[in-house]
Amino acid sequence: MLIALLKYAAQGFVLTGFGCIVSKAVPGGVRPPPKRADETVGIKEHRTFAGVKVVSETANLAGVKVMVIDDSNTIRRSAEIFLVQAGCKVILAEDGFDALAKITDHQPDIIFVDIMMPRLDGYQTCALIKKNTHFATTPVVMLSSKDGLFDRARGRMVGSDEYLTKPFTKDSLLKTIGAHAPVRT
């Protein structure tokens, strides 16, 4: 715990006397939220393929750190392949506890979390991530094979930013990241 608090202090966070992390000290006041990839002008990359101009919306994803939390090795590996091809840095976790152990070291820009996992489910994992002041603004996308209104509502209640139904496509995964991840410069 002390080591984690020291890591936060080294990153410029203000610590209270009770060991709570209050806020990050920013010169000149409050830091504006980072721009999302879809809010940036000129994010599309134009390429020519077989004489046809192709617009790639994933050119801006290079360097985006994405955490994928899922107990299914197949889902983790599929997401990893899609994301690495798009230039993202990928952090994989098997369950909520594994993710919580890795999150402070890697500080992902966006997190995908499966709802149905052993030990610590996706709702609990999302709630714990969002309660941490450092990660409260980090987008969390719930992954599930269920597409029910109740599951979506419960995800929103614990702080998720979006809901993606499995099996997801490469396009849906990358569009979700483009809509929520901050721009890397």
Side-chain angles (χ1 to χ4, degrees):
M1 171 97 171
L2 181 60
I3 293 171
L5 289 175
L6 291 174
K7 280 183 183 179
Y8 282 119
Q11 295 171 3
F13 283 87
V14 178
L15 304 176
T16 67
F18 299 103
C20 297
I21 300 163
V22 177
S23 66
K24 192 162 186 171
V26 177
V30 179
R31 177 181 301 175
K35 288 185 178 182
R36 293 187 336 231
D38 63 347
E39 295 175 332
T40 305
V41 177
I43 61 169
K44 296 180 181 180
E45 179 183 17
H46 300 274
R47 296 185 199 170
T48 305
F49 181 73
V52 178
K53 196 171 193 180
V54 178
V55 179
S56 171
E57 295 186 9
T58 61
N60 60 319
L61 299 181
V64 173
K65 288 191 272 183
V66 181
M67 177 176 269
V68 179
I69 311 165
D70 200 307
D71 57 327
S72 165
N73 190 42
T74 304
I75 296 293
R76 283 194 318 271
R77 295 300 170 206
S78 297
E80 182 181 32
I81 290 167
F82 295 156
L83 296 170
V84 168
Q85 288 174 351
C88 297
K89 296 177 183 175
V90 183
I91 304 112
L92 301 175
E94 293 181 15
D95 59 34
F97 287 115
D98 187 25
L100 295 174
K102 293 178 179 180
I103 196 168
T104 52
D105 291 334
H106 297 285
Q107 299 187 8
D109 297 314
I110 185 168
I111 301 168
F112 288 87
V113 58
D114 182 27
I115 290 176
M116 301 295 291
M117 295 186 295
R119 301 196 312 159
L120 194 64
D121 71 22
Y123 299 119
Q124 295 166 322
T125 303
C126 180
L128 288 170
I129 291 168
K130 291 294 187 172
K131 282 182 184 176
N132 182 316
T133 56
H134 184 66
F135 298 107
T137 59
T138 302
V140 176
V141 178
M142 304 301 284
L143 297 173
S144 179
S145 54
K146 300 180 194 175
D147 193 20
L149 184 61
F150 175 77
D151 296 309
R152 288 176 181 271
R154 188 169 174 205
R156 290 286 183 180
M157 287 174 53
V158 296
S160 74
D161 297 274
E162 191 155 336
Y163 191 96
L164 194 61
T165 306
K166 296 190 295 187
F168 48 80
T169 64
K170 180 178 180 178
D171 287 340
S172 64
L173 185 68
L174 298 180
K175 282 180 184 176
T176 303
I177 294 169
H180 293 285
V183 175
R184 286 279 178 191
T185 54

